């Protein structure tokens, strides 16, 4: 039996590049098999791409297909670093009627296999050199690690302003209760003179609030010119676009 899949289009994809757009493509797997990966073409600078590309999975008996899950991951192609996840769809084939052609339109979910087990956070940066104001926008997080016995967390975000690696000032967001996908939409501002900004960094921690015990740290990301590749790139883009908020997703890391 041959399973035929046609990837038609996507709409309103997330912006992942400094151009204000993305370069999306779709990676296709038939889980649990992860060795065979098919991909669509890359659509440059397009948040509403059309593919109309057809793929075939051959040699699968009907009874085996019933135990498979079709995984489609939408990724943003990046020539200089790892491709950024945009979202994914998982379709258990036991839900598909193979007696006829069916069309599916699904909302993208976080790419579970493309980020660390701690989750991911969406942050914006803006520096106004004339006023000496550094703005850190905490927009949202998704797929956070569950820290409570109910399988959820009560996350908030804590930000330390650092100068030459030393803590200077701390601010934090509100707590979002019982969620692994919190939305904050908060902007935190620090006063940083122009002559100190190059030695400045910000340590962003996601923490699980505990009313009765000690708060538990979930993960962190440090933005500055001595961090990881993605973090340094975001920090550098902030200076190149000083009049705009530069927004990027970051995978949370363990506390070192």
């Amino acid at each position: 039996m041959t399973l035929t899949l046609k990837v038609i289009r996507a709409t309103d994809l997330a912006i992942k590049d400094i151009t204000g757009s993305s370069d999306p493509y779709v990676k296709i797997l038939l889980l649990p098999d992860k060795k065979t990966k098919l991909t669509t073409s890359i659509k440059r600078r397009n948040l509403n791409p059309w593919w109309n590309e057809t793929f075939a999975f051959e040699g699968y008996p009907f009874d085996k297909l019933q135990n498979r899950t079709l995984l489609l991951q939408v990724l943003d192609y990046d020539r200089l670093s790892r491709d950024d996840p945009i979202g994914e769809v998982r379709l258990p084939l036991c839900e598909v009627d193979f007696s006829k052609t069916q069309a599916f339109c699904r909302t993208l979910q976080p790419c579970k296999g493309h980020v660390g087990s701690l989750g991911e956070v969406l942050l914006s940066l803006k520096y106004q050199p004339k006023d000496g104001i550094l703005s850190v926008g905490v927009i949202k997080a998704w797929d956070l690690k569950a820290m409570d016995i109910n399988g959820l967390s009560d996350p908030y975000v804590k930000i330390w302003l650092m100068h030459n690696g030393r803590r200077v000032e701390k601010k934090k967001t509100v707590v979002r209760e019982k969620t692994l996908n919190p939305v904050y939409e908060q902007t935190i501002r620090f006063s940083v003179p122009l002559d100190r900004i190059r030695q400045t960094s910000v340590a962003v921690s996601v923490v699980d609030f505990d009313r009765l015990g000690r708060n538990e740290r979930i993960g962190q990301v440090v933005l500055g010119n001595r961090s990881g590749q993605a973090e340094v790139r975001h920090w550098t883009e902030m200076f190149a676009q000083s009049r705009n908020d530069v927004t990027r997703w970051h995978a949370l890391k363990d506390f070192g």
Side-chain angles (χ1 to χ4, degrees):
M1 181 175 180
T2 299
L3 172 65
T4 302
L5 168 70
K6 186 174 185 179
V7 180
I8 301 174
R9 64 177 299 195
T11 59
D12 298 324
L13 295 179
I15 296 172
K16 293 291 185 176
D17 297 336
I18 61 175
T19 60
S21 189
S22 294
D23 301 319
Y25 69 95
V26 182
K27 181 170 68 176
I28 306 160
L29 299 93
L30 198 54
L31 300 177
D33 178 18
K34 295 184 178 180
K35 294 182 179 179
T36 303
K37 300 177 183 179
L38 304 176
T39 59
T40 67
S41 59
I42 299 168
K43 299 300 181 181
R44 304 284 182 177
R45 298 187 180 182
N46 198 330
L47 301 180
N48 299 281
W50 283 86
W51 283 287
N52 280 325
E53 297 181 26
T54 302
F55 303 87
F57 292 88
E58 299 180 345
Y60 286 92
F62 177 78
D63 58 335
K64 285 192 176 181
L65 282 178
Q66 293 294 298
N67 298 319
R68 303 277 173 156
T69 296
L70 189 64
L71 170 62
L72 295 94
Q73 289 186 329
V74 182
L75 305 169
D76 170 54
Y77 173 76
D78 195 319
R79 185 172 59 87
L80 299 178
S81 64
R82 73 177 181 92
D83 296 344
D84 295 318
I86 296 178
E88 72 178 26
V89 170
R90 293 174 182 251
L91 178 63
L93 295 184
C94 61
E95 300 177 2
V96 178
D97 181 1
F98 288 105
S99 66
K100 58 184 178 181
T101 300
Q102 289 186 271
F104 297 91
C105 182
R106 299 289 172 87
T107 300
L108 293 175
Q109 302 299 318
C111 291
K112 295 183 179 297
H114 219 84
V115 298
S117 60
L118 302 177
E120 199 171 8
V121 63
L122 182 62
L123 303 170
S124 69
L125 291 174
K126 182 178 181 179
Y127 183 65
Q128 299 164 272
K130 184 177 180 180
D131 301 319
I133 300 297
L134 173 64
S135 300
V136 182
V138 182
I139 302 170
K140 59 183 177 180
W142 72 15
D143 199 27
L144 295 178
K145 181 180 179 181
M147 305 298 285
D148 299 336
I149 59 174
N150 60 6
L152 298 172
S153 294
D154 301 315
Y156 68 93
V157 177
K158 178 174 63 178
I159 302 178
W160 272 103
L161 179 71
M162 315 281 286
H163 183 72
N164 286 328
R166 302 186 65 176
R167 294 176 176 178
V168 176
E169 184 179 359
K170 178 181 69 175
K171 295 185 179 182
K172 57 187 178 181
T173 69
V174 298
V175 176
R176 298 301 187 197
E177 296 184 352
K178 299 179 180 179
T179 179
L180 301 180
N181 301 286
V183 176
Y184 298 100
E185 297 287 357
Q186 288 184 247
T187 299
I188 294 176
R189 296 178 175 85
F190 297 98
S191 177
V192 183
L194 181 60
D195 61 354
R196 292 173 64 91
I197 189 63
R198 297 294 176 180
Q199 294 78 40
T200 295
S201 59
V202 287
V204 180
S205 304
V206 181
V207 184
D208 174 51
F209 174 76
D210 196 321
R211 195 178 305 275
L212 300 178
R214 184 177 181 180
N215 295 342
E216 296 180 276
R217 299 184 299 179
I218 297 174
Q220 71 168 346
V221 58
V222 179
L223 302 176
N225 58 15
R226 296 183 180 179
S227 303
Q229 185 179 45
E231 293 88 345
V232 170
R233 182 173 62 175
H234 192 180
W235 190 255
T236 302
E237 290 170 356
M238 174 186 71
F239 294 110
Q241 303 183 55
S242 60
R243 296 183 179 181
N244 302 309
D245 292 301
V246 182
T247 304
R248 296 288 177 267
W249 283 100
H250 292 280
L252 293 175
K253 301 178 180 179
D254 287 316
F255 291 85

